[in-house]
Amino acid sequence: KAFKCGLDDDALRAVAQWLEKLPADSMPAEVHLSHNRITQAGFEAVFQVLAAKKAELSTSVPPVWFRVEQSQVPAPYLQELARQGRVQFVQRI
């Protein structure tokens, strides 16, 4: 969890580089980055690594809980990912 930390796209690129070094079966179950200064570029850096690592697995795994609310990731971009079936929105649990 790294919410409300003032993280920007450079920080997320560093997180993505770290995730790339982990085995596919060691990906986090949750990435909580809400209330930061990330944009689409930072989101994509992490999202692409998570998707690539998931594709390496031979078994199905639950989706990663990737929270980015109250950030600068454009809503239309996230809505397009949802339309493609690549993300799901959760209003509340």
Side-chain angles (χ1 to χ4, degrees), residues 43 65-66 68-69 73-83 86-92:
F43 174 86
W65 186 265
F66 191 3
V68 294
E69 70 270 17
V73 181
Y77 167 73
L78 294 172
Q79 291 164 349
E80 176 59 22
L81 290 176
R83 189 192 67 72
R86 298 180 67 201
V87 301
Q88 291 183 342
F89 296 108
V90 176
Q91 297 302 318
R92 64 184 182 138

Side-chain angles (χ1 to χ4, degrees), residues 24-91:
D25 61 357
S26 296
M27 289 295 99
E30 177 181 350
V31 179
H32 188 169
L33 299 170
S34 69
H35 299 82
N36 279 298
R37 297 182 324 218
I38 60 175
T39 69
Q40 182 174 332
F43 174 86
E44 283 180 344
V46 174
F47 185 73
Q48 289 174 358
V49 172
L50 293 172
K53 292 291 184 170
K54 183 176 181 178
E56 291 177 17
L57 298 172
S58 59
T59 58
S60 180
V61 294
V64 174
W65 186 265
F66 191 3
R67 293 184 61 176
V68 294
E69 70 270 17
Q70 301 300 315
S71 68
Q72 297 173 20
V73 181
Y77 167 73
L78 294 172
Q79 291 164 349
E80 176 59 22
L81 290 176
R83 189 192 67 72
Q84 296 170 7
R86 298 180 67 201
V87 301
Q88 291 183 342
F89 296 108
V90 176
Q91 297 302 318

